[in-house]
């Protein structure tokens, strides 16, 4: 895992709003990935069929949320590039 505080991928200023946005999105992504891993483990290893179904539904919801966050991260990273177009 990368430490975003020490990365120098074009974001030199810690007060840069773009960097803060990207760091917040990555923090949200990390939280979603942890919750997704838990839901997956519950789906795979719980014995109660109702709990397995609930974990499966939670996993699907979290995957959709992760997809949205990843799209927002890609957009924020694109906007950080010199010469990026805005639609």
């Amino acid at each position: 895992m990368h430490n975003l505080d020490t990365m120098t991928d074009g974001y030199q200023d810690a007060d840069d709003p773009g960097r803060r946005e990207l760091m917040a999105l990555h923090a949200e992504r990390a939280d979603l990935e942890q919750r997704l891993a838990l839901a997956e483990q519950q789906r795979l290893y719980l014995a109660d069929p109702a709990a397995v179904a609930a974990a499966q539904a939670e996993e699907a919801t979290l995957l959709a949320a992760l997809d949205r966050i990843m799209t927002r991260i890609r957009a924020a990273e694109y906007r950080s590039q010199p010469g990026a177009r805005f639609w």
Side-chain angles (χ1 to χ4, degrees), residues 1-4 6-7 26-27 29-31 33-34:
M1 180 181 287
H2 297 289
N3 182 348
L4 294 177
T6 59
M7 290 179 66
H26 276 290
R29 176 200 46 80
D31 178 61
E33 286 176 344
Q34 286 181 338

Side-chain angles (χ1 to χ4, degrees), residues 1-52:
M1 180 181 287
H2 297 289
N3 182 348
L4 294 177
D5 291 329
T6 59
M7 290 179 66
T8 57
D9 57 356
Y11 286 113
Q12 300 294 335
D13 187 4
D15 292 329
D16 179 20
R19 178 176 171 79
R20 284 194 308 269
E21 175 192 13
L22 195 56
M23 289 177 68
L25 288 169
H26 276 290
E28 191 172 346
R29 176 200 46 80
D31 178 61
L32 279 170
E33 286 176 344
Q34 286 181 338
R35 292 169 49 202
L36 185 59
L38 176 62
E40 180 184 21
Q41 293 299 309
Q42 289 173 338
R43 177 182 54 83
L44 291 173
Y45 299 112
L46 288 177
D48 179 26
V52 170

Side-chain angles (χ1 to χ4, degrees), residues 39-79:
E40 180 184 21
Q41 293 299 309
Q42 289 173 338
R43 177 182 54 83
L44 291 173
Y45 299 112
L46 288 177
D48 179 26
V52 170
Q56 187 172 7
E58 176 72 5
E59 189 177 14
T61 300
L62 291 170
L63 279 170
L66 184 61
D67 180 58
R68 286 190 295 275
I69 289 296
M70 293 304 294
T71 298
R72 291 176 59 198
I73 288 171
R74 284 188 294 276
E77 288 173 344
Y78 174 78
R79 285 191 306 270

